[in-house]
Amino acid sequence: MSTTRPYSPGDRGPEPSGASGASGGSVPAGGASPGGATAVPAVPSGGRQVRRLSFDGQSGVVPLARDFTRQALYAWGWLPAATADQRAAAEDVLLVVSELVTNACLHAEGPDQLEITCDNKVIRVEVSDRGTGQPAPRTPHRAGRPGGHGMFIVQRLCLDWGVVRSPGTTGKRVWAELGAPA
């Protein structure tokens, strides 16, 4: 687990044959998704597929982020899931999105943008915000108490996670990576 590296270690290997950055048309014409948030459709980048959702002026951002992520999972073939493992992997992605967006709401003046990247092996979730705090799992973790479980959940479900700061600006991007089901 990392809280300082901008990217996870190691090489994920070559892209599988047929990997494409193309995506289904889940973004309505004009780039606005339900609720008025601006959504950017998939952008091909070396076999990766990318979706971005801006939260500018939006309320109800956690359900909005989950719905946006669910649409991406359908477009990328993670849903509908054929097996229990595939279903669990998709639910893990939705839970991590919820936790990262919720943390931005509670601790960082709200989220600015959600970016989801898929390369058929790994899904990377990034939530940007204007907060100055440093996310970390609460230590010691107290399973029986309410609250304080968000980053512990992210740490347990993800291959890796971290924080990227841009020098000279406030805010950060909190990222997490989850593996695709076998």
Side-chain angles (χ1 to χ4, degrees), residues 14-105:
E15 291 298 320
S17 177
S20 167
S23 165
S26 66
V27 178
S33 65
T38 303
V40 177
V43 176
S45 174
R48 291 193 160 120
Q49 301 172 83
V50 179
R51 298 250 173 140
R52 291 181 190 92
L53 174 66
S54 173
F55 296 110
D56 190 27
Q58 295 299 308
S59 60
V61 295
V62 175
L64 183 64
R66 285 180 66 89
D67 290 345
F68 177 80
T69 302
R70 188 175 288 109
Q71 289 174 7
L73 293 174
Y74 272 101
W76 295 336
W78 283 52
L79 289 173
T83 67
D85 286 345
Q86 291 170 337
R87 217 172 4 265
E91 288 298 322
D92 288 351
V93 171
L94 293 169
L95 179 56
V96 168
V97 165
S98 295
E99 293 299 337
L100 294 181
V101 172
T102 297
N103 279 355
C105 291

Side-chain angles (χ1 to χ4, degrees), residues 87-147:
R87 217 172 4 265
E91 288 298 322
D92 288 351
V93 171
L94 293 169
L95 179 56
V96 168
V97 165
S98 295
E99 293 299 337
L100 294 181
V101 172
T102 297
N103 279 355
C105 291
L106 294 175
H107 307 293
E109 304 174 32
D112 290 329
Q113 179 176 281
L114 166 65
E115 180 174 301
I116 310 167
T117 308
C118 179
D119 71 1
N120 292 338
K121 295 179 184 179
V122 172
I123 282 192
R124 181 179 175 103
V125 175
E126 291 188 24
V127 176
S128 61
D129 63 54
R130 292 175 296 279
T132 58
Q134 181 77 10
R138 197 173 276 180
T139 305
H141 178 252
R142 298 196 175 157
R145 294 196 162 189

Side-chain angles (χ1 to χ4, degrees), residues 115-181:
E115 180 174 301
I116 310 167
T117 308
C118 179
D119 71 1
N120 292 338
K121 295 179 184 179
V122 172
I123 282 192
R124 181 179 175 103
V125 175
E126 291 188 24
V127 176
S128 61
D129 63 54
R130 292 175 296 279
T132 58
Q134 181 77 10
R138 197 173 276 180
T139 305
H141 178 252
R142 298 196 175 157
R145 294 196 162 189
H149 305 289
M151 292 312 293
F152 180 78
I153 291 169
V154 170
Q155 181 179 16
R156 295 292 297 248
L157 292 178
C158 294
L159 300 170
D160 202 3
W161 71 276
V163 178
V164 178
R165 293 195 182 274
S166 298
T169 64
T170 49
K172 63 190 168 298
R173 287 181 295 138
V174 181
W175 61 268
E177 292 182 339
L178 297 98

